[in-house]
Amino acid sequence: IPLDFKSKQIEINQDGALLSSNKLFKKDYRESRITITNTDFVSPSEELLPRIRREYGLSQAAKNTFTPIKLKDWAMIEPAQGLISSEFGVRRFINNQPRNRHGGMDIAAPEGTEVLAPLSGEIIIASNFFYKGNVIYINHGAGLISSYSHLSKIEIKNGDKVKKGDLIGLIGQTGRVTGPHLHWEIYLMGIAINPEIFLATSI
């Protein structure tokens, strides 16, 4: 269910038959206010817009990747050891301007801290993006995609197959950040999901 879902009821239908109907309860998310001094990361110049649009298109395509396989293992390990500095769903303000909800989990740790693949999969993006800095996207199959942003170093390349626990990168502070941390996102069928749901301790 997307963070911006407006209805108070969700229904599941199949072949015209109602299988389930459930009431949705409102969840309050805290606010996060940060200050960015680099104006390019707040109001990008015209010269930067083509790059930003291209990278947005690549990330959207990655998030919506679907490989029709049956995924047997959904339980993930934590990709990095550190302090959760920003949780999923936080209402963000940058330089007092409202921005998109926080669609992932931030794990703060010293630069150079290892980032591990929380689940086996295939690398579909290993690149440098304007906002995300050094970023990795992993296709785990069955519409499950994860991403890792702001890395200081990428240890794999596009097309690599990784197993749960493999080293994929190092925590850094590349892109739009205020300090070293890992921004970890998970998408299921293109919808942002709270990463905590997939941790082995919660499944």
Side-chain angles (χ1 to χ4, degrees):
I1 304 171
L3 277 168
D4 59 358
F5 194 73
K6 302 299 183 185
S7 177
K8 296 181 180 179
Q9 195 86 8
I10 187 165
E11 296 182 347
I12 300 173
N13 296 277
Q14 184 176 14
D15 298 327
L18 179 63
L19 301 182
S20 178
S21 179
N22 296 282
K23 182 179 180 181
L24 297 180
F25 295 91
K26 183 178 178 181
K27 178 176 173 61
D28 290 322
Y29 293 93
R30 70 175 180 88
E31 290 184 0
S32 173
R33 295 179 180 270
I34 63 173
T35 300
I36 301 289
T37 55
N38 186 336
T39 56
D40 277 342
F41 286 118
V42 181
S43 300
S45 63
E46 288 291 330
E47 291 79 9
L48 289 168
L49 293 181
R51 176 188 177 183
I52 292 170
R53 293 190 188 104
R54 180 178 63 84
E55 291 168 354
Y56 175 78
L58 291 172
S59 64
Q60 288 298 109
K63 293 170 187 177
N64 287 281
T65 299
F66 179 79
T67 304
I69 63 172
K70 186 174 182 180
L71 191 58
K72 296 179 180 179
D73 183 12
W74 293 80
M76 298 185 179
I77 61 172
E78 293 183 6
Q81 296 297 310
L83 176 70
I84 297 177
S85 56
S86 186
E87 63 276 16
F88 179 84
V90 169
R91 293 184 294 154
R92 299 184 304 163
F93 294 80
I94 297 178
N95 295 1
N96 290 320
Q97 297 298 314
R99 298 299 174 113
N100 292 336
R101 294 286 191 93
H102 193 237
M105 174 195 293
D106 286 351
I107 301 174
E111 189 159 341
T113 299
E114 291 187 341
V115 178
L116 310 178
L119 199 65
S120 299
E122 180 180 351
I123 307 301
I124 53 176
I125 290 180
S127 187
N128 178 272
F129 283 8
F130 179 71
Y131 285 123
K132 295 177 178 292
N134 292 325
V135 61
I136 295 169
Y137 282 81
I138 303 178
N139 174 17
H140 303 288
L144 184 65
I145 307 294
S146 61
S147 74
Y148 312 82
S149 302
H150 311 307
L151 304 170
S152 61
K153 188 177 181 183
I154 294 174
E155 298 285 0
I156 42 70
K157 63 183 184 301
N158 283 6
D160 281 355
K161 300 288 193 347
V162 293
K163 294 181 180 179
K164 182 188 290 190
D166 283 354
L167 177 68
I168 59 173
L170 305 176
I171 282 181
Q173 46 186 332
T174 56
R176 186 171 68 185
V177 295
T178 56
H181 72 279
L182 173 69
H183 177 66
W184 178 32
E185 294 180 328
I186 293 180
Y187 288 84
L188 183 59
M189 306 299 287
I191 303 299
I193 305 291
N194 186 350
E196 290 185 76
I197 293 172
F198 295 90
L199 292 175
T201 53
S202 64
I203 291 182

